[in-house]
Amino acid sequence: MPSRLTYAGAVAILGGPEPFGEGAGPRDVRVGVVRHGGWVAGGIAESVRGFGRHERSARLQAAHVVLVVAALFEELDGPPHLVEGEGTLIERLVPVPVPLPGPDLPYDSELKNWVFASASHLGCQVSGLDQRVVARCDAVRRRLAVEVPEFGLWGDSDGAPATARGLKRLEELLLLAGSGRDPGRHRDALATAYRADLERPVLGGDAGEVLLPALGAAYLDPRFRVRSAGPGARPADEKWWSGAEVRTDLADFLAAYLTTTQAAEAPMLLLGQPGAGKSSLTRILAGRLPAGDFFACRVPLREVPAEAGVQDQIELALRREVGETVSWAELSRDAALPVILLDGFDELLQATGLHQSDYLQQVAKFQEREARLGRPVAVLVTTRVAVADRARLPSGALAVRLEPFDDAQIGRWLAVWNRTNARLKPLTADVVLRFRALAEQPLLLLMLALYDATDSALQDGAATLDDGQLYERLLTSFAEREVRRVHAGQPDAVVAGLVQQELLRLSVVAFAMFHRLRLWVTERELDDDLAGLGITPSRPGRTEAFRSPLTAGQEVVGRFFFIQRAQAFQDGQTLATYEFLHATFGEYLVARLVVQAVRDTEAREAAGTLPLRLGAANDDDLLRSLLGFTPLTARATVLPFLAGLLDGADRDRLRVWLAGRTAEAVTQPHYVPSRYQPIGKRADHWMATYSYNLMILTLACGGELRASGLFSRAKDPAAWLRNSALQWQAAVPGGMWMDAMEVLKVTRDWRDGRRDIVLELALDWTRDLPDGLNVYWMNGMESQRSDLPFTAAVELPPAVRSMRLTNRLSDDLLLHALEPMIRRMPAALTQFSAPDEWFHTSVANTLVRMWLAESPQELDAAYADALFAAIDTPAASGHIAHLMLDSLRANAHRLSAFRVRSIIRDLMDAATFSSADASSALRTLTESGAADGPQNVELVSRLEALIET
């Protein structure tokens, strides 16, 4: 919602002559308002000359309000109605505040709403007035924009050029609206440092022979969405953004924002996914803002104490940048508008482990204090989308979300890359778009380009690579690059082994996140996990000066730019967390390490060799260490990766081996304590999770897994598998169990006279329900060649109590639906009848089908089955007859008269009719016309006799 200003307030800000006297009449008021608007328009350029950025913006906004009110009065069809009341005439004239131009909403629609409200207050004709006022204001704005560029910036943007990059347009627009003032010493030093950053490579570190484009050249102005936000905003929720259009005019948007007073009223929250370019945007902004009118200060929150106040964080960042202690109060007294870029709010949250829900409120209070002291300040705060809801946004804040690259942006970025590396084979958009999930994030697109820079690796294999194969090549390529850098001169045979060790360590990082059900892990947690698996730093720690040697966790993640390190200082300590730029990298590494452990363990058992050890502390095989904590189905992408990695020449052999391991785990479970304890886990849940994951791995090899194969000696393998499934369900957290059911196909079968269950993997899962239940299987009857009824061997009261005890929502929903029937005629659930020897069904099932039948054929068949149910269930026949008659009366029009008569006649023979039942049947016959004719006299007479008795 844009800020607003009253006409009286605008006149007071501008000063100068009053538009009219206190005793002026309607015509004098109209003439005075119009004349005052002309006076403001004629002298506005000169009246703002020499003012600082914020004061200039305030005066221009006041001028805008005066000009809007003047346009309204010029377009009125008659003199205004002057309302009596409290306050001066100028205060009563147009009390509805005028909306000020803002960067987030189309101004014309806001202005039209204001015109309607103001014209109504003035008692003037409204029809067509809004369009005339908007047109006049637009003409005035365009004329004034020649001398005062801000009026052009505040108009509805026509969109930025398709080739906008590096926010050059922002700098150009702000220079047009600039004062031309010289910056002070510190501001000039900061601006010089920030501008030099634009010429540095887009990514730090050693890229080898590959040339990295400069930040200013490679940064493409991103697409974005913007919404006004406040305490109830949910910027982490995709639905919250659904009404905000995607925009391409970021430079115009920022120019309009920074030249209005709105920028100093509340912080702007800048959101994006990992790798979207949030930090790069703050670097670009710091380098592009003209130092004569803006005092840019970039504050990487990872480098300042988390518990420090906002001002202290700013001063610490300034000291790091200019190399001397500077006073915020002294610097901010200048006429330039301070623009504070707080980069990495998500790091502050993640690394400290605190919700920090009031941090943005602290920022807003800092802005309020500075405004009271005459030192207005604009603040932009960057954060990842995923944690944006962990901070309550203050009123008046704007939320801006960076959008992924579209195809055109990907093509333009590749053009910059190809120009920079002209000696390489050009990388084209059609190649990288095969992996859109990576290509649409700038940093991950850079990763693809770096991978392709070695022998055009991406281009040569793009047509045949699936995601898993690409990740394998990408990760191996970057691991090899780091190994050759750190272990220069090693022969290729040694390098290959070192590369696998690097990937092993990366996989442990991935498992550290996977086990904790998070997309990140703290440095302490990672060090503990590595130590638990016996992994130590690959080289002895060497220190410089008084610095501590790197831990194993710091070493493994510090080498790879696709692992993001979030950092915060708190209470004198550096707290750090790690996260993959693309979560699927971690999920692939989880699957990769599991499959490697499967192959290694199977090979050891087959060959009888010594176990592969991660380190001295690893006394148990790696597979057992990894599989007992978290179900492999906890992340949807892990299972497809497992299936792909297991799809090799040894797949059948591994399936047999895994099936044997699964059988052992469910029939002879045992728990062996280990130093590797990423999360706390009950021993029984650990054993259940271990066997569950072995089952999933068996299925990932393809084919089926039978209960009779797992429990070969059991009389009822299905019952044994049911017990294991209950243990799995107890061990699998929350809704993950239902998620797991989405990838399992469960078929009930018989084998060798025993009930069996067949499990298969169903990666092409749909929401279709499974086939209907086999009543003979569920009742333990292999075949039923009889039309005799039978009763299920279950007592409902204890069964219901058991369901209440287990309190599963799915059970409760079914129980809730059937509870009326259970209480009224419990036999309906346990009694099975059959119209022939091949088809038994419960009474309850028959009645539900009768109620829900859609076609006349379905209805006719359901009535036939219900008749048999009434015959076979004497204890409930009266209830069944009553329900059938109610249904028949409502549906008789869908059946023939002959069928209606036959149903009633057969039902009278099958069940005892009460007087009420006979009355209902007679009404049905009469209303449907089935009682007509001499052939029905006998049936009608029987019913009338029952009614009389």
Side-chain angles (χ1 to χ4, degrees):
M1 184 66 67
S3 301
R4 294 171 181 269
L5 181 64
T6 63
Y7 180 67
V11 171
I13 290 173
L14 293 174
E18 291 287 331
F20 44 79
E22 186 61 30
R27 294 186 182 278
D28 294 334
V29 165
R30 182 177 184 182
V31 171
V33 168
V34 173
R35 186 190 317 109
H36 191 71
W39 174 79
V40 168
I44 186 61
E46 186 62 32
S47 69
V48 297
R49 197 180 309 279
F51 285 103
R53 177 66 267 169
H54 187 268
E55 179 64 19
R56 176 184 172 96
S57 296
R59 296 180 70 83
L60 289 175
Q61 288 181 157
H64 164 83
V65 169
V66 169
L67 295 172
V68 166
V69 174
L72 170 66
F73 274 70
E74 282 192 86
E75 294 296 336
L76 290 178
D77 293 332
H81 172 67
L82 303 182
V83 180
E84 296 295 331
E86 296 183 0
T88 63
L89 177 57
I90 195 172
E91 292 172 339
R92 303 194 313 272
L93 181 64
V94 187
V96 183
V98 179
L100 298 178
D104 55 320
L105 291 174
Y107 184 68
D108 285 1
S109 60
E110 297 293 326
L111 184 55
K112 287 178 180 179
N113 292 336
W114 174 84
V115 170
F116 181 85
S118 298
S120 299
H121 171 78
L122 294 170
C124 299
Q125 184 68 31
V126 174
S127 178
L129 181 62
D130 55 349
Q131 296 179 356
R132 298 198 304 273
V133 172
V134 168
R136 180 174 290 276
C137 287
D138 189 56
V140 172
R141 177 182 63 80
R142 293 180 184 277
R143 177 166 51 83
L144 291 178
V146 176
E147 292 185 274
V148 184
E150 285 90 339
F151 283 105
L153 298 179
W154 296 345
D156 292 340
S157 171
D158 296 326
T163 56
R165 68 175 67 253
L167 289 180
K168 290 181 180 178
R169 178 175 168 84
L170 172 65
E171 184 176 17
E172 293 167 356
L173 292 173
L174 293 179
L175 284 173
L176 286 175
S179 64
R181 301 155 68 103
D182 291 328
R185 178 172 66 89
H186 289 116
R187 248 195 304 143
D188 186 54
L190 272 174
T192 301
Y194 290 144
R195 181 166 289 277
D197 200 24
L198 303 182
E199 303 304 319
R200 295 191 178 96
V202 67
L203 182 69
D206 182 12
E209 298 181 359
V210 179
L211 299 178
L212 295 176
L215 173 64
Y219 187 86
L220 303 183
D221 293 5
R223 303 182 309 143
F224 68 102
R225 299 176 193 258
V226 59
R227 276 200 65 178
S228 297
R234 298 298 303 274
D237 186 351
E238 182 66 29
K239 293 180 180 178
W240 189 76
W241 292 96
S242 60
E245 64 175 350
V246 177
R247 296 175 55 170
T248 60
D249 58 338
L250 184 63
D252 297 67
F253 165 79
L254 290 173
Y257 178 74
L258 292 171
T259 55
T260 63
T261 56
Q262 182 182 1
E265 293 170 0
M268 175 191 291
L269 189 64
L270 187 68
L271 306 99
Q273 300 294 346
K278 302 180 295 297
S279 293
S280 295
L281 178 54
T282 63
R283 292 167 61 193
I284 292 284
L285 268 174
R288 292 296 186 199
L289 293 180
D293 293 285
F294 296 93
F295 163 31
C297 177
R298 183 170 179 268
V299 184
L301 292 175
R302 61 185 3 241
E303 297 175 1
V304 296
E307 68 273 13
V310 176
Q311 179 172 328
D312 292 334
Q313 291 175 333
I314 294 171
E315 290 180 340
L316 285 168
L318 288 170
R319 180 180 177 185
R320 286 175 178 269
E321 201 62 53
V322 301
E324 59 179 293
T325 301
V326 291
S327 165
W328 160 256
E330 290 296 326
L331 284 176
S332 61
R333 287 195 184 99
D334 202 330
L337 175 68
V339 180
I340 309 302
L341 307 170
L342 299 174
D343 183 30
F345 172 55
D346 52 312
E347 297 191 47
L348 202 66
L349 293 172
Q350 197 164 286
T352 59
L354 302 175
H355 281 284
Q356 289 281 344
S357 60
D358 65 340
Y359 182 75
L360 295 182
Q361 301 290 328
Q362 294 177 28
V363 172
K365 290 179 179 178
F366 169 73
Q367 289 181 280
E368 291 173 8
R369 186 199 71 183
E370 293 301 294
R372 288 197 306 271
L373 296 173
R375 305 190 303 243
V377 54
V379 182
L380 280 73
V381 184
T382 71
T383 183
R384 285 187 300 118
V385 173
V387 300
D389 284 352
R390 291 170 61 181
R392 189 164 53 92
L393 274 72
S395 298
L398 284 183
V400 176
R401 189 181 77 174
L402 304 184
E403 293 294 300
F405 275 177
D406 60 14
D407 290 6
Q409 287 176 305
I410 292 172
R412 285 163 42 214
W413 190 96
L414 290 174
V416 175
W417 174 264
N418 291 331
R419 284 197 302 271
T420 306
N421 292 277
R423 65 179 183 81
L424 300 176
K425 180 180 177 180
L427 180 58
T428 58
D430 61 307
V431 174
V432 299
L433 283 173
R434 253 197 111 248
F435 311 101
R436 182 178 294 277
L438 301 180
E440 64 187 12
Q441 298 295 349
L443 194 53
L444 295 173
L445 178 57
L446 174 60
M447 182 180 182
L448 289 176
L450 286 171
Y451 168 66
D452 185 72
T454 304
D455 303 323
S456 301
L458 187 64
Q459 300 182 64
D460 293 343
T464 57
L465 290 179
D466 59 26
D467 286 350
Q469 293 167 331
L470 173 67
Y471 294 159
E472 177 68 23
R473 295 190 184 187
L474 279 174
L475 296 168
T476 300
S477 171
F478 283 98
E480 181 177 350
R481 178 178 299 179
E482 287 304 308
V483 165
R484 292 192 182 279
R485 182 182 65 83
V486 176
H487 303 278
Q490 293 288 348
D492 289 346
V494 174
V495 168
L498 291 172
V499 167
Q500 292 305 312
Q501 287 295 319
E502 288 295 320
L503 292 176
L504 172 66
R505 293 164 183 265
L506 283 175
S507 298
V508 175
V509 177
F511 256 108
M513 303 172 193
F514 181 74
H515 283 321
R516 293 170 175 86
L517 304 179
R518 299 199 303 253
L519 296 178
W520 52 274
V521 63
T522 68
E523 189 172 87
R524 175 63 181 273
E525 290 168 340
L526 179 56
D527 285 337
D528 290 344
D529 286 3
L530 291 166
L533 292 170
I535 297 179
T536 58
S538 60
R539 297 189 298 173
R542 293 183 297 176
T543 63
E544 299 178 7
F546 296 103
R547 295 179 181 175
S548 301
L550 295 177
T551 66
Q554 291 170 334
E555 181 189 60
V556 69
V557 299
R559 300 174 181 171
F560 300 100
F561 77 87
F562 53 80
I563 296 182
Q564 179 175 332
R565 184 175 192 262
Q567 174 182 298
F569 285 109
Q570 186 177 44
D571 300 329
Q573 292 184 322
T574 301
L575 306 175
T577 64
Y578 304 107
E579 172 182 6
F580 287 98
L581 280 178
H582 191 52
T584 317
F585 287 160
E587 290 153 12
Y588 173 77
L589 286 167
V590 166
R592 185 183 192 276
L593 184 55
V594 168
V595 173
Q596 281 189 322
V598 166
R599 287 197 165 102
D600 174 73
T601 310
E602 188 274 337
R604 285 192 286 105
E605 290 189 2
T609 58
L610 292 175
L612 170 69
R613 295 172 180 266
L614 290 175
N618 183 40
D619 297 326
D620 194 12
D621 67 76
L622 179 59
L623 192 64
R624 180 175 292 276
S625 296
L626 296 176
L627 294 187
F629 295 100
T630 307
L632 291 172
T633 51
R635 298 273 174 80
T637 53
V638 171
L639 195 49
F641 284 141
L642 287 170
L645 291 167
L646 288 166
D647 188 14
D650 58 352
R651 183 178 66 175
D652 292 341
R653 188 181 75 249
L654 292 177
R655 183 196 300 119
V656 173
W657 180 81
L658 282 165
R661 268 247 172 170
T662 307
E664 179 184 353
V666 293
T667 57
Q668 303 175 47
H670 64 283
Y671 173 71
V672 179
S674 169
R675 283 187 59 193
Y676 180 65
Q677 294 289 329
I679 59 174
K681 193 84 169 180
R682 284 169 37 178
D684 57 334
H685 284 185
W686 186 97
M687 291 184 287
T689 305
Y690 177 63
S691 62
Y692 170 83
N693 281 334
L694 287 172
M695 178 270 293
I696 290 294
L697 285 169
T698 305
L699 297 180
C701 290
E704 62 184 33
L705 181 63
R706 286 182 168 268
S708 57
L710 296 177
F711 307 99
S712 56
R713 298 183 180 182
K715 293 182 179 179
D716 188 357
W720 281 67
L721 183 57
R722 177 194 64 212
N723 295 334
S724 292
L726 291 173
Q727 293 172 340
W728 294 338
Q729 186 176 9
V732 174
M736 287 185 191
W737 176 253
M738 290 302 179
D739 292 339
M741 293 303 101
E742 294 183 359
V743 297
L744 285 183
K745 179 182 178 182
V746 182
T747 306
R748 294 174 171 183
D749 195 13
W750 290 90
R751 172 168 283 195
D752 300 329
R754 299 182 299 171
R755 291 196 315 161
D756 204 357
I757 290 180
V758 182
L759 300 178
E760 296 173 273
L761 204 59
L763 294 179
D764 55 346
W765 178 82
T766 65
R767 291 190 174 274
D768 297 336
L769 289 172
D771 294 337
L773 293 176
N774 184 313
V775 299
Y776 307 118
W777 189 96
M778 60 191 277
N779 283 283
M781 303 174 183
E782 186 171 4
S783 63
Q784 177 75 10
R785 296 295 300 274
S786 170
D787 59 0
L788 295 177
F790 66 85
T791 303
V794 62
E795 292 290 335
L796 284 181
V800 171
R801 291 189 181 96
S802 174
M803 295 171 75
R804 286 178 177 269
L805 176 62
T806 55
N807 65 86
R808 282 190 292 268
L809 177 60
S810 55
D811 289 352
D812 286 348
L813 290 173
L814 295 174
L815 183 61
H816 174 72
L818 290 172
E819 196 168 26
M821 185 175 291
I822 292 173
R823 295 188 181 281
R824 185 171 180 181
M825 48 176 179
L829 277 75
T830 58
Q831 188 71 25
F832 290 79
S833 63
D836 59 59
E837 62 184 16
W838 293 109
F839 178 74
H840 279 75
T841 182
S842 72
V843 175
N845 181 281
T846 298
L847 292 174
V848 172
R849 284 189 292 113
M850 178 184 73
W851 291 324
L852 300 180
E854 294 183 351
S855 68
Q857 293 77 15
E858 286 182 294
L859 185 63
D860 192 18
Y863 284 138
D865 292 347
L867 283 169
F868 278 97
I871 295 170
D872 292 340
T873 316
S877 62
H879 286 308
I880 296 172
H882 182 72
L883 294 173
M884 284 185 66
L885 288 169
D886 283 347
S887 172
L888 185 60
R889 186 178 180 189
N891 293 286
H893 65 283
R894 301 169 62 188
L895 302 173
S896 67
F898 172 81
R899 184 58 180 145
V900 172
R901 287 193 299 269
S902 63
I903 291 173
I904 292 176
R905 184 178 291 110
D906 292 342
L907 189 56
M908 291 179 68
D909 296 336
T912 301
F913 264 34
S914 67
S915 175
D917 292 335
S919 179
S920 176
L922 185 57
R923 282 197 304 271
T924 300
L925 287 171
T926 303
E927 292 170 359
S928 65
D932 300 338
Q935 70 274 23
N936 302 315
V937 172
E938 183 267 339
L939 177 58
V940 172
S941 298
R942 289 179 61 189
L943 291 171
E944 289 175 342
L946 286 172
I947 294 172
E948 292 176 359
T949 58

